Every structure is written in structure tokens, then in C-alpha cells.
Amino acid sequence: MKSLTKAESEIMRILWRLKEANVSAIIDEMPKPKPAYNTVSTIVRILEQKGFVDYKKQGRGHIYFPKVSEEDYKTSTTQRLANTYFDGSFKNMVSFFVQKNDLSTKELETILKELKSENYD
């Protein structure tokens, strides 16, 4: 799966949340200063070319929707990060983030409890 740029990622997060939207609706969800319509339209077309977005016709316009789920993208990105920087080891990756974020024992216990409650253990 290809990587997303910052601008592409921002638009995908909006589409994941809304499930489907036209360019104007995407722009409405963006923070100020709002980008130009043509800018967002171009990014959406790039997302379509990359295989992240598809559309259906509605009148003279298009309604865009994600072809890739947010979960699938996160999984792919996390796997790529682990493979590229941590020799494929999620343990090493998590250890790195724990050390860099200076998590306390209590915070780690809270994370473990949340994982166990979501049946990830």
C-alpha cells in the first residue's frame, strides 16, 4: 500500500469520518484557512489514482468514498514502520516509543489493561 502525504492523509481522515462526501463537504470539514476548491479536487484525484478513493456520480458532480479502510491503512503503515526501522519487530518498536515518550509504570499498566479488555492479549 502506498504512503499518504500530509495533505492526502488529512483528506482521508475526513472521508473515513464522513464515509462519503463531495469536494465542498470535504472543504467544509477542513480547518481555516480553507484550501482552494481546485487544490482539494486535485488531491482527491491523486487519492483516486493511488487507489485510496473511488467515486459515484451524483448529478453533475462526484461523491467520493474511501476504498481503503482506516484500519487497513494503519496496519500497513505500522508494519512498514516496523520493517523499515525496527527489523520487523513490534516489540522493539513499542519499546522505542515507550522510552522516547518516557511512560511511567502506571501508564504502561493502563495500556496493558486496555489491550487485555479489547482481547488483544
Side-chain angles (χ1 to χ4, degrees):
M1 186 177 299
K2 294 183 179 185
S3 295
L4 296 173
T5 66
K6 185 177 179 182
E8 292 166 350
S9 182
E10 181 179 8
I11 289 172
M12 284 305 300
R13 282 194 305 274
I14 291 168
L15 283 173
W16 283 322
R17 189 173 68 251
L18 297 179
K19 309 290 188 239
E20 62 180 30
N22 61 20
V23 172
S24 294
I26 293 170
I27 293 169
D28 288 345
E29 295 292 316
M30 299 178 93
K32 291 183 181 178
K34 307 267 186 197
Y37 183 96
N38 287 342
T39 301
V40 174
S41 181
T42 298
I43 295 169
V44 169
R45 283 195 305 277
I46 291 168
L47 287 166
E48 184 185 351
Q49 291 169 355
K50 284 184 166 184
F52 283 91
V53 169
D54 205 352
Y55 68 91
K56 57 186 174 185
K57 282 258 197 208
Q58 186 176 54
R60 294 181 348 161
H62 296 96
I63 300 295
Y64 297 95
F65 56 91
K67 283 179 63 176
V68 174
S69 74
E70 184 175 16
E71 184 72 23
D72 286 347
Y73 184 70
K74 285 179 181 179
T75 300
S76 173
T77 302
T78 305
Q79 185 66 55
R80 186 171 39 252
L81 180 67
N83 289 341
T84 303
Y85 297 103
F86 301 98
D87 297 322
S89 169
F90 283 103
K91 179 183 173 198
N92 290 345
M93 185 170 76
V94 170
S95 177
F96 171 82
F97 286 114
V98 166
Q99 291 172 2
K100 287 296 175 186
N101 289 296
D102 197 27
L103 296 179
S104 69
T105 305
K106 184 162 180 65
E107 289 169 319
L108 285 172
E109 287 174 358
T110 300
I111 291 169
L112 288 173
K113 283 180 187 175
E114 287 176 13
L115 290 173
K116 286 180 182 179
S117 72
E118 296 175 12
N119 296 321
Y120 287 114
D121 58 336

